[in-house]
Amino acid sequence: FNLESPVKMPGSSIFIPYSPFSSTYTFPKPNLRNNDRLVTIKHVRSFRLTCNVLLEGLKLKFVTNKNSNSKINIGTAESPLIVSKMGCGTWNWGNQVLWGYDTDQDEDLEKVFNFCLDSGVNLFDTGDSYGTGKLEGRAEVLLGEFSSRRAGASSLCVASKLAAYPWRLTPGSMVKAIEASSQRLGRPLEMAQMHWDPSSYGAGFQESALVEGLCQAYESGLVRAVGLSNFGPRALRQVHRRMETRGVPIATLQTQFSLLSYLDYQRETKEVCDELGITLISYSPLCLGLLSGKYSSEGKGTYPEGPRGLLARRLLPGAESSGLLPILKEIAKRKKVTTSQVTLAWNMAKDTIPIPGAKNLDQCKQNIKAMSVNLSSSEVASLDEAAMRIKTPMLQNSMRSM
């Protein structure tokens, strides 16, 4: 790896993208004023090296969990937080409107929880707003109940998204929201995330206050990591600058990222995450189940019931005509896997952590099998191209910022 200008002045930065093909980059022999040394960087995807001395060159050794093929460090080198390369989303846990949740499903959901941990999937994404009506917060409550009955849940990483409700206007309100989530869980929360960006509707003052609350929670040790959700590339850069001055790293950014939602917005957001060393978590990777392989617009069509059925009728014809669904089916047939597994494998091949949901054990098992599916670069490229040909993509989150 060669720099066009290997000499860097103090305080400048070098951005080096992660490469899966090499773990060591060698520059011309370093001149560190009697302090020649090998610098070891523990990071997953990319990093920014800030030079405190005049450099003529530097040898950098990467120590990365990428090599483990199943684990990723979303923490820091000094305080690692190791998570699986795929997580489990809990949006449907308590959601009666979109997912038809009923408490009778809790037994199945506990089986999902235990099978995930048995299979090495330790990242559970949730939110304090997950659950409809009186069931708000239900997903966190269930995670707490399941983990309390689970022996050997020490590796569990719960990442909860805290809603930017209009009444949360101060740093203290964010801290209290995190404390309330921990109380529902009955255990400390590993990672706190801001669910959406208030600046998307002009409430920049609220964004600043809640970001400050995240920083305070991290600095006090209330959480081990902090992240964001639905922040676009420009907003992400701005918040990153503020948090960087505090010494608070942004561990993750969640964004809507799937083969039916692969627009300039998603691609630019991913580029910024790579540049800043932030792990991207892709939510709705199966596009509300529309990419599960169960639904089709062919013939009379096979569609889900309720609001998702309306979306399916809008999106699936374009997914067929663009070649996306035929390519998915072709790859799945060749690899003897399901189209949903190919879809999730694509998300992982794009260097994101997908967080598909599962209502029962069978869905969970099918999702986890995707972790063993390896796509070639040509297969990934063909899916990319088909996704970019889609003229009617998935509806975008109205709470996202640019």
Side-chain angles (χ1 to χ4, degrees):
F1 189 97
N2 295 316
L3 289 174
E4 293 180 2
S5 178
V7 177
K8 294 288 177 179
M9 296 303 293
S12 64
S13 295
I14 310 170
F15 170 65
I16 305 174
Y18 171 81
S19 168
F21 305 108
S22 174
S23 60
T24 302
Y25 295 91
T26 303
F27 300 98
K29 183 178 179 180
N31 176 13
L32 299 180
R33 303 194 181 194
N34 301 319
N35 191 27
D36 290 5
R37 58 196 172 95
L38 174 71
V39 177
T40 299
I41 306 295
K42 292 186 178 180
H43 210 289
V44 176
R45 289 169 173 77
S46 59
F47 72 96
R48 185 175 292 278
L49 172 68
T50 300
C51 307
N52 296 317
V53 294
L54 179 64
L55 298 183
E56 292 181 354
L58 189 64
K59 184 176 181 181
L60 303 171
K61 180 181 179 182
F62 281 68
V63 177
T64 165
N65 288 299
K66 188 80 171 182
N67 296 331
S68 72
N69 198 39
S70 61
K71 301 293 182 182
I72 295 171
N73 180 17
I74 60 172
T76 63
E78 298 76 18
S79 181
L81 181 56
I82 308 302
V83 300
S84 45
K85 68 177 183 179
M86 184 172 74
C88 179
T90 64
W91 183 20
N92 58 307
W93 297 17
N95 190 308
Q96 296 174 314
V97 175
L98 194 61
W99 299 104
Y101 168 79
D102 187 274
T103 53
D104 291 341
Q105 298 171 1
D106 290 354
E107 185 177 347
D108 286 335
L109 295 178
E110 186 163 10
K111 290 178 181 177
V112 167
F113 175 83
N114 286 321
F115 188 81
C116 281
L117 290 179
D118 290 340
S119 304
V121 173
N122 71 326
L123 174 63
F124 286 81
D125 178 77
T126 188
D128 66 349
S129 63
Y130 282 5
T132 50
K134 294 181 180 180
L135 292 174
E136 186 177 56
R138 181 67 177 170
E140 291 181 333
V141 171
L142 289 175
L143 280 170
E145 292 178 357
F146 299 162
S147 62
S148 69
R149 293 193 287 265
R150 164 82 187 197
S154 58
S155 66
L156 176 63
C157 176
V158 177
S160 191
K161 296 189 289 292
L162 292 312
Y165 290 134
W167 55 86
R168 289 180 177 166
L169 298 173
T170 65
S173 64
M174 173 60 82
V175 173
K176 287 181 180 178
I178 295 170
E179 292 172 339
S181 288
S182 296
Q183 187 173 10
R184 282 188 291 273
L185 288 164
R187 61 188 301 280
L189 178 65
E190 280 75 23
M191 182 163 70
Q193 309 160 96
M194 194 191 304
H195 203 156
W196 62 81
D197 182 3
S199 71
S200 64
Y201 43 83
F205 66 94
Q206 185 187 18
E207 177 205 78
S208 297
L210 298 185
V211 166
E212 171 64 20
L214 286 177
C215 290
Q216 291 179 9
Y218 179 81
E219 291 168 340
S220 68
L222 184 60
V223 293
R224 296 172 60 187
V226 294
L228 303 171
S229 179
N230 294 307
F231 279 65
R234 185 171 66 246
L236 177 58
R237 286 187 186 279
Q238 293 171 350
V239 173
H240 178 268
R241 282 194 293 270
R242 296 207 303 270
M243 295 179 71
E244 189 176 38
T245 62
R246 292 283 295 271
V248 177
I250 301 174
T252 62
L253 172 79
Q254 285 198 32
T255 197
Q256 186 176 336
F257 195 102
S258 76
L259 284 166
L260 288 178
S261 185
Y262 190 54
L263 309 174
D264 290 344
Y265 179 89
Q266 280 78 20
R267 294 193 293 274
E268 186 179 350
T269 299
K270 180 63 173 67
E271 289 173 1
V272 173
C273 283
D274 288 347
E275 177 187 338
L276 300 179
I278 298 170
T279 299
L280 191 146
I281 297 177
S282 49
Y283 71 76
S284 291
L286 294 176
C287 200
L288 303 182
L290 301 188
L291 291 173
S292 65
K294 294 189 294 184
Y295 308 114
S296 171
S297 63
E298 294 180 325
K300 294 183 179 180
T302 305
Y303 303 109
E305 296 180 354
R308 292 191 301 137
L310 298 176
L311 273 175
R313 288 175 170 82
R314 179 179 183 271
L315 299 177
L316 291 183
E320 290 278 1
S321 62
S322 70
L324 175 61
L325 294 185
I327 292 172
L328 275 174
K329 293 173 184 176
E330 178 187 341
I331 295 174
K333 182 178 180 180
R334 186 163 60 243
K335 294 184 177 294
K336 298 181 180 179
V337 296
T338 66
T339 55
S340 64
Q341 288 160 3
V342 174
T343 301
L344 293 173
W346 174 84
N347 273 270
M348 287 180 276
K350 302 303 288 184
D351 214 15
T352 78
I353 300 179
I355 47 172
K359 295 175 66 175
N360 55 57
L361 187 57
D362 182 63
Q363 288 181 359
C364 177
K365 289 179 177 179
Q366 293 301 315
N367 289 343
I368 289 176
K369 285 180 181 178
M371 296 173 69
S372 302
V373 178
N374 295 310
L375 300 179
S376 68
S377 57
S378 60
E379 288 169 335
V380 173
S382 66
L383 290 169
D384 289 352
E385 292 166 3
M388 288 188 284
R389 285 196 297 268
I390 292 177
K391 296 181 179 179
T392 306
M394 177 62 176
L395 296 174
Q396 299 299 291
N397 194 316
S398 61
M399 295 294 194
R400 70 176 187 170
S401 60
M402 302 309 288

